[in-house]
Amino acid sequence: MRLPPAILANAEEVLREILRFAAPADTTLSRYFKDHPRLGGRERGAIAESVYNVLRNKNFYTDFSEAGGGATMRRLTLLGMADAVGLDSLGGLSEEEVAWVQRILEIDRKLMHKSSRSNMPKWLFEKLVEQYGEEETLALADSLNTPAPLDLRVNTLKANREEVIAKLAEAPIRATPTPFAPQGLRVLQKPQLQNLPLFKEGHIEVQDEGSQLLSALVAAKRGEMVVDFCAGAGGKTLSLGATMRNTGRLYAFDVSEKRLTKLKPRLARSGLSNVHPVVIAHERDAKIKRLAGKIDRVLVDAPCSGLGTLRRNPDVKWRQKPEAIAELQVKQAAILDGAARLVKGGGRLVYATCSVLEDENDFIAKQFLETHPDFELVPMSKALAEQKIDLDMGDYLKLLPHKHQTDGFFAAVFERKQMAKKAKEEVEAVDE
């Protein structure tokens, strides 16, 4: 069954707005669909897929949209939609348009110039080549330009992985265990989870496997005091709470009340009662100061470029600017410094980003160790072995989609050295 010809016009209209890069693509799409309630589920899916296809393949599509008949924006939209849903699904096309699309989609992209093939801004491609080399960067780019599967985390307070796999199969939804995260499941199709009893009752949460591994590295235990320092909507908070078996005290800090509000319904579904959401003004808020030196474990999932999430958010590579990375570094270092004050002697601090840039990762971790002699690095190989996670890493966790089938993630694990009583009293006096 073909899509109505008007859908192409809808997709073109919203794509034009998204390519201004004034707001995240998913926000713009949500608003557009709200303003156009007559669009059905199939039509919305086709529009969204075509838009994300253009964002993933923008360099390639733009190079060829200048050839052919009609307006450039229509040609861009046409390529995105034909590649996403198939040319046979589109109605109202001329013979010339059909022939042109077929020619473009049959092009062997491996014959293209490497920076064009990567479908990345020039600055980002060059930076990644510096880090990984050309061949590895192209493999990474190809993976980042592929839609991500759907990963779930099983809430162990309510179910186990085998039970959830069996229940999903009744839907019918096929899920397989993730290779590294012990409570993870991977779903290759994109089902509507919101209507499933499993989801409504809090047995499952959507969470990328890489994100689940970050939570595991915190190694939270029953009865401890733990802080998720940049909690956002709380995906990792929920994971930490389940690991703690709903005991102890788990603080979810964030500077955005709006983000923490999104945590409330998830908390209600999860069955957790040990989570305490706290809105903070900044990383040196008085609410943080009161907990200085008292926390067993702190997770800092720092604000970052988000360049590890391009499989899900391809617009980020076009909205992100190189000069913004330097600004982020200052913020990341300040947040990590503020979070470090919470950690008690012998306690653990985990710094993480969803970025693939060393500027936001290795650089920040090494700088932290240089300026905080009271902390030492826990090699990632050791931290992973403690959690029985079979991943070959050195000092840091570096997850890449073309190697690990996760989003791009980085993590460093630090431990605060045990201080002598007198030294500890001196530090506390300075903090006051």
Side-chain angles (χ1 to χ4, degrees):
M1 183 178 171
R2 288 192 168 190
L3 291 161
I7 295 304
L8 199 60
N10 288 118
E12 183 180 338
E13 184 180 13
V14 71
L15 179 63
R16 190 183 303 276
E17 185 176 351
I18 284 170
L19 289 180
R20 295 190 183 104
F21 299 117
D26 58 351
T27 303
T28 304
L29 273 170
S30 295
R31 188 176 68 248
Y32 186 83
F33 291 149
K34 188 177 180 182
D35 293 342
H36 295 76
R38 292 187 179 182
L39 290 169
R42 182 169 178 248
E43 287 83 3
R44 291 178 183 216
I47 291 168
E49 284 185 49
S50 65
V51 164
Y52 280 105
N53 230 345
V54 171
L55 292 169
R56 288 190 180 98
N57 298 280
K58 183 169 165 285
N59 282 354
F60 175 69
Y61 288 168
T62 301
D63 284 347
F64 290 96
S65 63
E66 295 170 1
T72 301
M73 191 59 67
R74 176 179 170 84
R75 292 198 294 271
L76 267 178
T77 310
L78 188 51
L79 283 172
M81 190 163 278
D83 208 357
V85 302
L87 194 54
D88 293 342
S89 299
L90 305 182
L93 304 184
S94 67
E95 289 183 11
E96 290 81 5
E97 284 179 319
V98 171
W100 176 75
V101 171
Q102 285 175 333
R103 282 200 309 274
I104 302 304
L105 296 185
E106 287 171 3
I107 290 171
D108 183 354
R109 300 193 189 190
K110 290 180 180 176
L111 300 177
M112 295 176 61
H113 186 276
K114 291 181 174 67
S115 61
S116 296
R117 179 186 147 191
S118 74
N119 274 294
M120 289 181 172
K122 188 170 182 286
W123 74 267
L124 179 57
F125 179 74
E126 289 176 351
K127 188 170 277 290
L128 291 176
V129 168
E130 280 179 31
Q131 285 183 206
Y132 301 111
E134 200 171 75
E135 188 177 340
E136 182 94 358
T137 296
L138 287 172
L140 173 59
D142 287 346
S143 186
L144 287 170
N145 289 327
T146 304
L150 175 67
D151 286 357
L152 308 174
R153 179 185 58 81
V154 175
N155 180 3
T156 52
L157 296 179
K158 296 193 171 187
N160 63 48
R161 198 153 62 167
E162 290 68 32
E163 290 169 348
V164 171
I165 289 173
K167 283 284 185 184
L168 286 172
E170 293 172 9
I173 298 168
R174 183 171 174 269
T176 57
T178 48
F180 308 117
Q183 307 306 333
L185 291 173
R186 182 154 294 153
V187 180
L188 294 180
Q189 67 262 51
K190 298 289 175 73
Q192 292 295 317
L193 293 176
Q194 291 84 345
N195 301 323
L196 292 179
L198 277 174
F199 181 80
K200 290 179 179 178
E201 295 164 13
H203 292 224
I204 53 173
E205 275 288 338
V206 175
Q207 188 178 16
D208 182 78
E209 183 183 20
S211 176
Q212 295 181 46
L213 293 178
L214 298 186
S215 302
L217 290 172
V218 178
K221 294 182 173 65
R222 290 172 182 257
E224 289 187 329
M225 289 180 70
V226 178
V227 170
D228 187 353
F229 202 79
C230 306
K236 296 178 191 68
T237 307
L238 298 174
S239 179
L240 290 168
T243 302
M244 296 165 71
R245 304 303 299 169
N246 205 16
T247 64
R249 198 166 181 86
L250 174 56
Y251 292 96
F253 288 164
D254 204 274
V255 294
S256 169
E257 186 172 5
K258 185 178 179 181
R259 282 197 293 265
L260 284 178
T261 299
K262 292 179 181 178
L263 171 59
K264 289 181 181 177
R266 302 176 78 183
L267 264 181
R269 287 196 305 268
S270 72
L272 290 170
S273 57
N274 67 334
V275 177
H276 303 272
V278 180
V279 180
I280 57 174
H282 44 71
E283 65 273 6
R284 293 187 177 267
D285 192 301
K287 296 169 188 171
I288 299 169
K289 194 175 180 181
R290 286 196 290 268
L291 295 171
K294 298 176 182 177
I295 304 300
D296 295 286
R297 300 174 192 269
V298 178
L299 170 62
V300 179
D301 182 12
C304 68
S305 64
L307 291 167
T309 68
L310 296 183
R311 300 186 306 167
R312 304 169 199 282
N313 307 301
D315 56 311
V316 167
K317 62 185 172 186
W318 307 114
R319 290 193 296 112
Q320 195 59 259
K321 302 298 179 189
E323 55 270 19
I325 305 301
E327 294 172 13
L328 281 166
Q329 283 181 316
V330 174
K331 184 183 289 188
Q332 288 155 354
I335 289 172
L336 187 54
D337 177 67
R341 291 167 175 260
L342 294 170
V343 184
K344 69 191 327 186
R348 175 168 288 196
L349 173 65
V350 177
Y351 172 75
T353 74
C354 52
S355 174
V356 292
L357 297 182
E358 289 181 357
D359 293 355
E360 302 179 82
N361 298 336
D362 310 53
F363 176 84
I364 299 296
K366 289 170 184 174
Q367 183 186 64
F368 176 77
L369 287 170
E370 288 169 5
T371 54
H372 294 76
D374 52 330
F375 280 85
E376 59 189 356
L377 183 73
V378 178
M380 191 54 59
S381 52
K382 180 184 176 184
L384 290 167
E386 288 173 354
Q387 299 304 309
K388 297 181 173 58
I389 295 170
D390 186 19
L391 261 172
D392 184 19
M393 295 283 163
D395 283 344
Y396 305 121
L397 181 78
K398 295 185 178 184
L399 296 173
L400 297 168
H402 67 295
K403 288 184 174 181
H404 308 106
Q405 288 71 57
T406 67
D407 285 345
F409 280 106
F410 171 88
V413 176
F414 309 106
E415 191 171 283
R416 190 166 207 168
K417 299 171 186 175
Q418 293 282 6
M419 291 187 289
K421 186 178 179 183
K422 186 177 179 182
K424 185 178 178 183
E425 288 170 353
E426 289 173 356
V427 170
E428 288 173 348
V430 170
D431 283 343
E432 288 172 7

